[in-house]
Amino acid sequence: MSRRLRVFVSSTMKDLPNERFAVVERLKSFNVDVINAEGINPSGLGSWDTLEAKIDSADIFVLILGNAYGWVPKDGPKKELELSVTHLELKYAQELGIPVLSFLKNLEYGADSHSEDAKRRDAFRKEVQDWKYGYFTAGFDLAHDLSSKVADAFISLLMDEFQKVKLQERVPLATKSIVRLGEVNDVKSELTSLPFELVEAVKSGNAILFAGAGISLAAGLPSASAFAQSLIKSMNSVEPDYSVNPTGSAFAGIATDLSAVMGREYLVEAISTVINFPQGIEPTEAHLKSVELFDHIITTNYDMLFESAISSLGLNSNVYAEEINGEISNRALIKLHGTIDIPSSLLLSESEVIMFDKTRPNLWSAALDDLNSKVVVVVGASLHDPSIIRLFSEAKNIKGYFVSPELLSSTHKRVNAWNLESIQADADEFMSKLYEYIKVV
């Protein structure tokens, strides 16, 4: 089952609202499912049963301790332990063997240390930092400081091979719990119809798919922000003060710096380490239906999900990830920025991406021909990448559709400039509806 990594965030709530929000938002930017009390909906279960079930479904546990020990239940489940809810959550995560990332807020000078809550808080902190049974912890002062440290620790965990093995061992149990909770990402299409011209173009083989990273995020692959953070982490090992906002658009710049300092081979290894998220990545419905519906697929993705989908369905399709000599075959997967299984093919640095049309002119021309001659269906691509903007701008006869789960008025206007009609839907939803129209109706 394809799914995102799940992280349970545990802390007291009244004294750490800003910190919790900052951590949740940062982890979500990595394409992670975050479980926190604020986001848990009523399920009919009791409070502790609900929390227990959610922790069961987690791959990683993030513990944040602040100024308070927290609320101690006086009746109901676990009351006999006389521990705070946060303390109970940690104990249960430890029983399950879930990797724990722990963070302690630096207490202000003169902070209360005499009240019963303060004494229990300090004892809890000491337990968490215990040499034999505790964890290495990081201190923080501000919410922004904490979110950066959580991001760094999360990426470090995923880059550590020993910890990765532990995560992989945990995956089957967490996945079973996710299924029991009914939180599997089943496709429930809200699309009621698709344009007749779109369906006919795909049906007649007169359409191509242009797929971006968004089509793979549902499979649980890390986001561009997570990749960028991993490269920053690698840069910090040689330049501790190196700092760049880890957005997707900054990725090529960080890759350029890391390649210059550590070499291209090191850069490729860093990318390969993170792309293999430990929960196991499988093709989604969008991948499987795409390779059936489209003869030509153009993508900027490095991952192997389309190839896996092609193989699992027993289809024949040639993959083009480097410069070509000759024509593209009738069934083709064109990987504009290379593929992870051929390290030399990857376009990672700024100059490699910008000079794509010069270093691979024939592949560039083949992509242009497809864009000019077929109906273009864009799925999971923001069309913000500089090389892709150039590609679409050079194609003078584009017509087609832009599929995205979120469409702003600015998005409509931007893609309309390329004669792309907007359709609001996620990748799985869109492909399932298109498949239904063509293969079923």
Side-chain angles (χ1 to χ4, degrees):
M1 182 186 82
S2 291
R3 66 173 179 87
R4 297 177 178 87
L5 275 177
R6 287 167 70 94
V7 179
F8 188 96
V9 176
S10 175
S11 77
T12 49
M13 297 182 67
K14 286 186 178 181
D15 60 327
L16 296 169
N18 295 330
E19 289 83 351
R20 290 172 66 89
F21 178 80
V23 168
V24 168
E25 291 302 300
R26 189 61 176 275
L27 289 173
K28 283 183 177 178
S29 77
F30 289 167
N31 194 36
V32 168
D33 281 340
V34 183
I35 311 165
N36 61 318
E38 298 91 330
I40 297 177
N41 294 318
S43 63
L45 296 175
S47 296
W48 176 251
D49 288 338
T50 298
L51 289 172
E52 196 174 67
K54 293 294 186 179
I55 297 172
D56 280 335
S57 72
D59 300 292
I60 299 169
F61 187 94
V62 171
L63 176 68
I64 309 168
L65 299 184
N67 297 319
Y69 176 65
W71 179 68
V72 178
K74 301 302 181 185
D75 52 25
K78 307 294 181 179
K79 68 175 183 178
E80 69 281 0
L81 298 178
E82 298 183 342
L83 300 175
S84 70
V85 173
T86 304
H87 205 158
L88 290 170
E89 289 172 345
L90 175 63
K91 290 285 190 185
Y92 189 60
Q94 290 173 322
E95 287 178 26
L96 298 176
I98 299 175
V100 175
L101 303 177
S102 56
F103 304 86
L104 276 62
K105 187 169 187 176
N106 298 320
L107 300 179
E108 295 180 0
Y109 177 77
D112 171 32
S113 60
H114 301 293
S115 69
E116 184 62 25
D117 184 80
K119 290 178 180 178
R120 301 202 71 182
R121 173 201 67 201
D122 293 342
F124 187 18
R125 283 170 164 249
K126 186 176 180 180
E127 176 186 323
V128 170
Q129 294 178 294
D130 179 72
W131 176 259
K132 187 174 182 180
Y133 297 109
Y135 309 95
F136 181 83
T137 62
F140 68 94
D141 292 304
L142 303 174
H144 175 74
D145 177 36
L146 172 63
S147 69
S148 295
K149 290 185 175 182
V150 170
D152 186 61
F154 175 78
I155 293 298
S156 296
L157 182 68
L158 298 180
M159 295 178 74
D160 184 285
E161 289 303 319
F162 174 74
Q163 294 285 16
K164 215 166 184 178
V165 170
K166 289 181 65 178
L167 280 172
Q168 288 167 342
E169 292 172 351
R170 168 77 194 147
V171 164
L173 295 174
T175 301
K176 286 181 181 178
S177 296
I178 293 169
V179 174
R180 283 198 300 270
L181 287 168
E183 296 181 2
V184 180
N185 293 323
D186 291 329
V187 178
K188 296 179 181 178
S189 179
E190 296 180 2
L191 279 176
T192 56
S193 64
L194 290 173
F196 175 79
E197 294 79 8
L198 164 61
V199 175
E200 285 301 303
V202 176
K203 198 171 185 177
S204 64
N206 191 41
I208 63 163
L209 173 65
F210 190 96
I215 204 168
S216 294
L217 290 179
L221 275 173
S223 66
S225 180
F227 277 117
Q229 184 69 44
S230 71
L231 299 190
I232 292 173
K233 175 71 177 173
S234 296
M235 279 295 294
N236 288 152
S237 67
V238 290
E239 291 189 2
D241 295 329
Y242 184 87
S243 177
V244 177
N245 185 22
T247 60
S249 59
F251 174 80
I254 304 169
T256 299
D257 292 340
L258 184 59
S259 182
V261 173
M262 302 295 288
R264 180 180 171 82
E265 186 175 337
Y266 185 95
L267 170 62
V268 171
E269 181 61 30
I271 298 295
S272 300
T273 298
V274 177
I275 203 170
N276 294 312
F277 257 30
Q279 81 275 23
I281 307 295
E282 298 175 355
T284 64
E285 284 298 304
H287 291 97
L288 293 166
K289 289 181 168 57
S290 293
V291 299
E292 280 199 75
L293 294 172
F294 293 90
D295 292 334
H296 277 198
I297 297 174
I298 301 176
T299 184
T300 54
N301 299 346
Y302 305 140
D303 63 69
M304 302 287 290
L305 291 173
F306 278 119
E307 289 93 325
S308 295
I310 290 167
S311 176
S312 68
L313 295 173
L315 301 175
N316 292 315
S317 187
N318 292 321
V319 179
Y320 302 88
E322 300 176 279
E323 178 60 324
I324 59 173
N325 292 308
E327 296 183 353
I328 297 289
S329 62
N330 291 331
R331 290 192 62 85
L333 172 61
I334 303 171
K335 305 185 77 169
L336 295 178
H337 288 176
T339 182
I340 195 67
D341 63 321
I342 307 177
S344 61
S345 72
L346 295 172
L347 302 182
L348 300 170
S349 69
E350 292 164 309
S351 61
E352 289 171 345
V353 173
I354 292 172
M355 301 302 292
F356 168 40
D357 61 324
K358 305 299 182 185
T359 57
R360 298 175 185 177
N362 295 334
L363 190 65
W364 179 275
S365 295
L368 275 177
D369 288 343
D370 264 357
L371 293 176
N372 280 319
S373 61
K374 302 285 182 70
V375 172
V376 182
V377 182
V378 180
V379 179
S382 66
L383 302 183
H384 277 123
D385 183 285
S387 66
I388 302 309
I389 291 173
R390 287 180 53 218
L391 181 66
F392 272 65
S393 297
E394 283 191 25
K396 302 302 182 183
N397 299 310
I398 287 182
K399 60 179 180 179
Y401 303 86
F402 179 84
V403 181
S404 175
E406 296 181 3
L407 292 172
L408 304 175
S409 59
S410 58
T411 306
H412 286 290
K413 293 176 181 178
R414 184 166 58 83
V415 300
N416 280 346
W418 288 315
N419 295 317
L420 298 176
E421 179 182 330
S422 300
I423 297 175
Q424 187 161 3
D426 66 32
D428 283 355
E429 178 185 20
F430 172 77
M431 286 300 173
S432 293
K433 179 60 68 174
L434 184 58
Y435 187 88
E436 178 186 324
Y437 267 71
I438 293 174
K439 299 292 185 178
V440 179
V441 175

